[in-house]
Amino acid sequence: MFAITHYLWHMIDFRSDTVTRPTPGMLKAMHEAPLGDDVFGEDPTINHLEQFAAGLFGMEAGIFCPSGTMTNQIAIKCHTQPGDEVICDHLSHIYQYEGGGIAFNSGASVRLLQGDRGRITATQVLGAINPDDIHKPVTTLVSLENTANRAGGSCYDFDEIRSIRKVCDQHQLKLHLDGARLFNALVAKNETCKQYGEVFDTISICLSKGLGAPVGSLLLGPASFIKKARRFRKVFGGGMRQAGMLAAAGLYALEHHVQRLQEDHHHTQLLADTLRQKDFVGEILPVETNIVIFEVKGRFTAPDLVTILKRSNILALAISPTQIRLVVHLDITPAMIETTIQTIKAL
Ligand SMILES: *Cc1c(COP(=O)(O)O)cnc(C)c1O
């Protein structure tokens, strides 16, 4: 092994849950993974991951991709025709943070809804479906995000998802889930993968967020859909070769890093409790999972506070001139939380 030397190594990094590095156990699993050429369908580790993840959700098939942007965009591409319309919340990652991919890749338009912290309702969806009128784009897809990233890691109420499914069934719409942080929601709300597999047509999950793998996302759905997705993954340039070592990290993460998300959620609550006592902290969005978004007021601006925290080796992200986001993850230890709490208290 070689020594890991990196200036960020000494930092307490709350900027995102994507900053984690593979654990020793994960590295060992990656090192030992049997490999093959996945474009030929011959990487045994990728095949195993795809089948394992599909099985978790009770779905027929899965496809391993380099990113969550790719799994979402492939799903939208497969579910729509150019000129169709996709319904989603206005804060959705698929709309805000995927480079205009819905228009670029699929030629589809978007109907944005003003949800409650990233969560839309069945009534809102019903009201946004276009009538059968040649002037209107054809509504074909509804996409939900759970947890909702830009809304501070909020979780859907599963009954609302069921109601949205009913509306989709009544209007022949497909239902996709951007589940980049679905496992955070499952752990927080004590829900199961199978529940989600039953109500969504397709689900995207990220292995490289809270689960701590270095790379990779999975798109899950019916076998015929995933066959079509495999064609678009190639078109989008996402066909990888001996990527089983990445899939091995994902398998390890699904086996070892799901239940521990509870610890991240607990740590996030401790940070929020500390922030709540400070005069320079305004509104704190409700903390449901591993994200805390808070308003900075009075003595500091958000960028000021980021700079001040950095002097104590604490990295945070100013997501607006008045808001900071902290994200807790696998590489944040209890000692780091304690250091951060003491640092904030002293400000
Ligand atoms: C991170 C994320 C994605 C996928 O992002 P990639 O960086 O492309 O893997 C998708 N949706 C949400 C909500 C995310 O937070």
Side-chain angles (χ1 to χ4, degrees), residues 16-18 65-72 91-94 97-98 144-150 178-181 204-209 215-217 291 325:
S16 173
D17 47 9
T18 55
C65 291
S67 73
T69 298
M70 189 179 283
T71 45
N72 282 332
L91 297 175
S92 298
H93 194 280
I94 59 164
Y97 304 117
E98 298 185 7
L144 308 183
E145 188 175 309
N146 199 20
T147 69
N149 169 25
R150 190 59 181 74
D178 176 355
R181 294 186 182 81
S204 159
I205 57 170
C206 285
L207 303 164
S208 62
K209 300 279 168 81
V215 176
S217 290
I291 301 175
R325 184 184 82 166

Side-chain angles (χ1 to χ4, degrees), residues 33 35 51 69 134 156 164 211 220 252 259 275 346:
L35 305 176
Q51 283 156 21
T69 298
I134 58 162
Y156 262 92
I164 294 173
L211 295 185
L220 310 170
Y252 185 90
Q259 280 318 312
L275 289 165

Side-chain angles (χ1 to χ4, degrees), residues 38-39 41-66 71 205 207 217-221 226 229-230 233 238 240 243 247-248 250-251 254:
D38 182 51
V39 175
E42 290 174 2
D43 189 293
T45 311
I46 292 184
N47 292 342
H48 179 53
L49 172 65
E50 290 174 346
Q51 283 156 21
F52 176 76
L56 275 183
F57 286 82
M59 295 183 109
E60 283 177 3
I63 181 167
F64 182 62
C65 291
T71 45
I205 57 170
L207 303 164
S217 290
L218 284 151
L219 178 60
L220 310 170
I226 296 301
R230 222 166 268 287
R233 185 183 69 175
M240 297 186 287
L251 274 167
L254 286 172

Side-chain angles (χ1 to χ4, degrees), residues 37-150:
D37 187 333
D38 182 51
V39 175
F40 291 141
E42 290 174 2
D43 189 293
T45 311
I46 292 184
N47 292 342
H48 179 53
L49 172 65
E50 290 174 346
Q51 283 156 21
F52 176 76
L56 275 183
F57 286 82
M59 295 183 109
E60 283 177 3
I63 181 167
F64 182 62
C65 291
S67 73
T69 298
M70 189 179 283
T71 45
N72 282 332
Q73 291 298 322
I74 289 174
I76 295 164
K77 183 73 188 163
C78 292
H79 282 306
T80 62
Q81 292 296 319
D84 285 357
E85 192 157 87
V86 180
I87 295 175
C88 64
D89 182 80
H90 70 121
L91 297 175
S92 298
H93 194 280
I94 59 164
Y95 174 72
Q96 294 279 359
Y97 304 117
E98 298 185 7
I102 300 174
F104 191 95
N105 299 312
S106 299
S109 71
V110 189
R111 176 72 68 92
L112 297 177
L113 297 177
Q114 304 285 324
D116 168 32
R117 287 189 289 122
R119 299 159 305 180
I120 57 179
T121 65
T123 311
Q124 284 180 301
V125 170
L126 188 59
I129 300 170
N130 288 327
D132 184 8
D133 173 338
I134 58 162
H135 297 88
K136 299 280 190 183
V138 181
T139 309
T140 48
L141 176 64
V142 177
S143 181
L144 308 183
E145 188 175 309
N146 199 20
T147 69
N149 169 25
R150 190 59 181 74

Side-chain angles (χ1 to χ4, degrees), residues 19 29 54 107 110 127 130 142 145 154 157 165 210 222 277 280 311 347:
V19 301
V110 189
N130 288 327
V142 177
E145 188 175 309
S154 54
D157 173 0
R165 172 78 258 177
Q277 290 156 26
F280 56 85
R311 281 185 214 133
L347 291 177

Side-chain angles (χ1 to χ4, degrees), residues 259-273:
Q259 280 318 312
R260 65 153 305 287
L261 291 170
Q262 257 159 356
E263 191 183 322
D264 293 345
H265 299 173
H266 173 61
H267 284 161
T268 313
Q269 291 291 349
L270 296 178
L271 293 176
D273 290 345

